Amino acid sequence: MAEEERQVKVRASYVTKQYEMAPTKSDKMKSLFFKTNFPKFWAVRGVNFEAFEGETIAIVGNNGSGKSTLMKMVAGIVPPTSGEIEINGETSLIAINAGLKGNMSGRENIRLKALMLGLTNEEIDAKMDEIIAFSELGDFIDQQVKSYSSGMKSKLGFSISVHTNPDILIVDEALSVGDATFNRKSLAKIKEFQQQGKTIFFVSHSLGQVREMADRVLWMHYGEVRMFGPTEEVMDAYDKFIADYKALSGKEQTKYRNEYRTAQQNFSLDELYEKSLKRERKITGNDVLPAEIETSIYKSTHNRHSAERWSVVDKTILVVLLLLTVFVADKVILNLGMKNIVEHPSHLITNWSPEKIHELNVEHMADDLSAK
């Protein structure tokens, strides 16, 4: 099927992500409400791509290239600083530790994460045994997750995500720490999703897996897309880059990394705008672009999702919305009545404790047994 006939499931346009390099977590919190002068770092710099229905796209690149940051933005976990990400479907991110609570058991984490993904308690009860069996965790499923190895956490996270039936599956290096047997089973599950026409993003350092699984490859390089195209074409170029980089001396490698890191710190949306104009001129073959096109590109590249400085009104509205969101989420997920909330407002917090989640899990298991 031609690309123009397939549905676009994910479209990224001029996407960036900027972080402030604050020394501590408290400093990061302060930066939300007060003017700060921490150094800036652009983890993602003007990424554009389209992913179609039924397509598997591998994301490759060296450590720190922005792969995981980009996938977290696609999954809706992290908001972009500027640009747009259009998502047509439900996403599910599979990454080590993603959404797992260390002080809860594996079974309790299944219920909590599945609730947050939109499943009902009845649906979770119906899938619970299947999820546990797929994870291969056995008796460890009732142990606290903080005692799990990285491989066990990966198994649990993968098992939960693939049983929520997402339209868009994002696998972020979650298979790199599992054992060979589970990896093969997981790859078979991904292939099953491919046959069902799901869109899959696959972040991996296993170049063999990438060549086997991907239809196309997105090569991220220090926050930018270096190449995006058919798997063999991109992977051949990537393999050559790896070989050339390894051939450099230690000093040359350090100089190379430092030059790109400096570029990430000094990047600006104006720079993205100029690069985008240059690319558009090359595509159209016109040295002078119509004013409306230049204006459109400027708006797209400078479309920030949050103001650099928030007014007092903005901050007040944000706090009110956050409190309201927490209140509504607690009421719905914890199944609290208004009378209970008015008489015991502390239950909005204390009922999220591991003990309360455990009680909720036991309650639904008992209901399930009585129904049988």
Side-chain angles (χ1 to χ4, degrees):
M1 186 184 296
E3 286 189 355
E4 58 271 15
E5 296 176 356
R6 290 191 292 170
Q7 181 188 7
V8 174
K9 299 295 286 186
V10 180
R11 177 184 286 114
S13 305
Y14 305 106
V15 173
T16 71
K17 184 60 185 178
Q18 180 194 64
Y19 290 108
E20 284 194 316
M21 300 171 71
T24 65
K25 290 184 178 179
S26 61
D27 288 328
K28 289 181 181 179
M29 290 299 295
K30 291 175 186 175
S31 69
L32 292 174
F33 298 96
F34 304 102
K35 183 180 178 182
T36 57
N37 293 308
F38 300 128
K40 305 292 193 298
F41 183 80
W42 294 84
V44 175
R45 302 183 284 161
V47 168
N48 299 288
F49 70 85
E50 288 183 340
F52 295 93
E53 182 180 17
E55 187 173 37
T56 299
I57 294 178
I59 319 295
V60 301
N62 59 319
N63 290 327
S65 62
K67 304 186 300 294
S68 292
T69 300
L70 179 61
M71 289 299 97
K72 286 176 182 176
M73 289 191 285
V74 171
I77 295 173
V78 173
T81 297
S82 65
E84 293 290 340
I85 300 180
E86 176 189 338
I87 306 291
N88 296 308
E90 295 295 326
T91 63
S92 183
L93 172 66
I94 304 173
I96 302 167
N97 288 338
L100 300 179
K101 303 298 180 184
N103 58 349
M104 293 183 181
S105 71
R107 188 187 301 273
E108 290 157 358
N109 266 282
I110 291 173
R111 185 169 299 280
L112 178 59
K113 189 172 180 181
L115 282 170
M116 297 178 74
L117 289 171
L119 272 69
T120 65
N121 277 301
E122 291 73 19
E123 289 172 330
I124 297 168
D125 292 336
K127 293 176 180 285
M128 182 68 75
D129 290 344
E130 188 178 353
I131 294 172
I132 294 172
F134 191 94
S135 73
E136 301 178 352
L137 291 175
D139 293 338
F140 285 100
I141 198 66
D142 291 308
Q143 300 299 312
Q144 288 188 326
V145 167
K146 64 184 178 183
S147 67
Y148 286 13
S149 66
S150 295
M152 293 168 72
K153 292 174 183 176
S154 176
K155 287 181 175 182
L156 180 60
F158 187 93
S159 301
I160 297 170
S161 295
V162 298
H163 286 88
T164 59
N165 199 30
D167 298 311
I168 302 165
L169 185 67
I170 304 168
V171 186
D172 186 359
E173 299 189 56
L175 305 182
S176 60
V177 294
D179 56 72
T181 303
F182 188 80
N183 283 358
R184 284 195 296 271
K185 183 168 73 171
S186 300
L187 288 173
K189 190 69 176 177
I190 293 174
K191 287 181 178 178
E192 180 184 321
F193 280 175
Q194 286 178 319
Q195 292 170 358
Q196 294 172 8
K198 296 182 183 295
T199 301
I200 301 168
F201 289 93
F202 189 74
V203 182
S204 177
H205 286 291
S206 173
L207 304 187
Q209 284 183 358
V210 170
R211 287 183 180 272
E212 177 187 354
M213 302 293 294
D215 299 310
R216 290 194 290 169
V217 175
L218 181 70
W219 175 6
M220 291 292 293
H221 195 65
Y222 292 95
E224 295 181 306
V225 176
R226 179 144 179 178
M227 196 172 180
F228 182 38
T231 298
E232 291 302 319
E233 181 182 331
V234 177
M235 291 308 296
D236 287 348
Y238 184 65
D239 285 342
K240 183 179 185 304
F241 162 77
I242 295 296
D244 291 344
Y245 180 78
K246 287 181 177 178
L248 298 175
S249 66
K251 263 187 191 178
E252 289 172 328
Q253 289 183 2
T254 301
K255 180 182 177 183
Y256 183 90
R257 291 194 302 269
N258 288 341
E259 285 177 352
Y260 273 97
R261 291 300 184 196
T262 300
Q264 285 183 281
Q265 291 176 4
N266 297 334
F267 176 79
S268 69
L269 296 183
D270 287 337
E271 178 185 333
L272 175 59
Y273 170 61
E274 293 298 330
K275 285 184 176 179
S276 301
L277 285 180
K278 186 177 180 180
R279 183 173 63 247
E280 187 66 21
R281 292 186 189 114
K282 184 177 180 180
I283 292 172
T284 61
N286 297 324
D287 292 334
V288 179
L289 295 173
E292 59 269 20
I293 292 180
E294 291 194 5
T295 300
S296 175
I297 293 175
Y298 182 85
K299 288 181 178 179
S300 297
T301 54
H302 286 72
N303 176 31
R304 278 184 173 267
H305 291 274
S306 61
E308 293 187 70
R309 293 189 194 178
W310 287 6
S311 67
V312 175
V313 175
D314 291 335
K315 295 170 186 175
T316 303
I317 292 173
L318 174 64
V319 170
V320 172
L321 287 175
L322 286 174
L323 291 174
L324 183 61
T325 301
V326 170
F327 175 82
V328 173
D330 276 3
K331 186 180 185 306
V332 172
I333 294 177
L334 298 178
N335 196 28
L336 296 176
M338 283 304 299
K339 182 178 179 182
N340 187 319
I341 293 172
V342 171
E343 294 177 353
H344 307 284
S346 62
H347 286 182
L348 288 170
I349 298 174
T350 58
N351 277 23
W352 278 103
S353 67
E355 293 78 12
K356 292 295 182 181
I357 293 293
H358 176 71
E359 288 177 12
L360 182 64
N361 193 57
V362 170
E363 176 186 334
H364 285 283
M365 287 176 66
D367 290 343
D368 186 52
L369 288 174
S370 63
K372 292 179 180 179

